[in-house]
Amino acid sequence: MAKRESLGNESVKKEPAKKKLTKEEQEKKKLALEIIERLKKEYPDAGCTLDYNEAWKLLVSVRLAAQCTDARVNVVVEDLYAKFPDVSALADADVEEIEKIVKPCGLGHSKARDISACMKILRDQYEGKVPDDFDGLLKLPGVGRKSANLIMGDVFGKPAIVTDTHCIRLVNRMGLVDGIKEPKKVEMALWKLIPPEEGSDFCHRLVYHGREICTARTRPYCDRCCLKDICKKCDV
């Protein structure tokens, strides 16, 4: 797991403008702050579960992680980087060669195509560096809001809300949002509740909590949950 690094410019992704919270939102914000503190104690060292030591590698990994486990991605990229060790090498690689390596992650052709196109843009337009502004990231092939937020938070230490499947499921269950499933709408709702400096780590902790306690494929282990007395849908 890599530490955040400072690369490139100092532009900041702007979260939605602050508006006065409704009474319901104020209650949810109070709940959110309590959840944040409890999860901090439960998972003090939680961070990105994708392995990387350079920003462009995280960019590759988040594309491969679509409909694939982080654990498998971490294995596959070892072979990818052994053959193509930098941005230029990967940009010059044939899409077919990339596809052969990343095929175990699923959707091999589309992922290989996006990775190739993305690396070409980094090489030709950004001197091999990953852009550190949100809109710039969204223009890269295969990069959506979730991936852009992950990179903004983990690589550049900027405010970020990563609405992956764990985040969406858990914040609905906890009562921070009410029946919202669309990632962007969940993100916008959480910007009102989560302090900007807490967003990235909060989302990482939700991943850990979702895997260990508030599971999706089995009945949640509410009896062992640090949030059982404040979670809206706790089964205890």
Side-chain angles (χ1 to χ4, degrees):
M1 180 176 66
K3 298 293 184 183
R4 292 171 182 165
E5 54 192 277
S6 178
L7 303 173
N9 308 323
E10 292 301 325
S11 59
V12 179
K13 178 175 78 71
K14 295 181 179 179
E15 59 268 26
K18 300 285 185 182
K19 294 182 180 180
K20 187 175 181 179
L21 297 180
T22 65
K23 184 176 180 180
E24 181 183 11
E25 288 171 340
Q26 290 174 1
E27 289 299 315
K28 288 182 177 181
K29 184 165 186 175
K30 182 179 178 181
L31 174 62
L33 294 176
E34 179 63 24
I35 290 172
I36 287 170
E37 289 308 308
R38 294 193 188 191
L39 291 180
K40 277 185 181 181
K41 294 177 181 178
E42 197 75 10
Y43 312 101
D45 301 318
C48 183
T49 52
L50 291 167
D51 294 337
Y52 70 99
N53 55 13
E54 294 182 74
W56 68 272
K57 291 183 178 179
L58 181 57
L59 195 58
V60 169
S61 288
V62 293
R63 182 64 187 98
L64 293 178
Q67 299 183 40
C68 181
T69 66
D70 289 358
R72 174 166 291 186
V73 171
N74 290 338
V75 172
V76 169
V77 292
E78 290 183 8
D79 292 335
L80 185 66
Y81 302 148
K83 189 164 187 177
F84 308 112
D86 54 41
V87 170
S88 293
L90 201 48
D92 291 337
D94 291 334
V95 173
E96 292 76 13
E97 288 298 307
I98 299 174
E99 184 177 353
K100 288 178 183 177
I101 299 174
V102 304
K103 189 175 181 180
C105 293
L107 305 174
H109 182 70
S110 62
K111 290 180 179 180
R113 181 191 60 213
D114 286 343
I115 289 170
S116 175
C118 188
M119 294 302 109
K120 284 180 169 63
I121 291 174
L122 295 190
R123 179 194 63 191
D124 299 339
Q125 299 182 25
Y126 294 100
E127 299 180 344
K129 302 288 181 64
V130 175
D132 66 347
D133 68 280
F134 192 73
D135 291 336
L137 287 168
L138 287 179
K139 293 176 182 177
L140 297 176
V143 177
R145 295 188 67 87
K146 181 180 74 173
S147 299
N149 270 298
L150 179 65
I151 291 166
M152 289 295 289
D154 275 57
V155 174
F156 301 111
K158 307 290 179 63
I161 297 286
V162 183
T163 50
D164 61 8
T165 55
H166 287 292
C167 175
I168 294 170
R169 179 168 55 82
L170 267 63
V171 296
N172 271 280
R173 186 172 176 82
M174 294 169 178
L176 296 181
V177 301
D178 301 312
I180 305 175
K181 304 298 183 181
E182 185 181 329
K184 184 177 179 179
K185 289 183 178 180
V186 172
E187 180 192 334
M188 294 301 106
L190 291 179
W191 275 121
K192 298 179 181 180
L193 310 177
I194 310 298
E197 69 276 9
E198 299 285 358
S200 182
D201 288 339
F202 171 67
C203 293
H204 285 318
R205 292 186 174 103
L206 290 180
V207 172
Y208 280 69
H209 195 64
R211 289 175 178 172
E212 296 180 16
I213 302 295
C214 199
T215 54
R217 295 185 179 181
T218 64
R219 186 182 180 88
Y221 301 103
C222 294
D223 58 317
R224 296 194 277 116
C225 181
C226 63
L227 307 173
K228 61 185 178 183
D229 60 317
I230 59 174
C231 177
K232 182 179 178 181
K233 294 186 178 178
C234 181
D235 294 331
V236 174

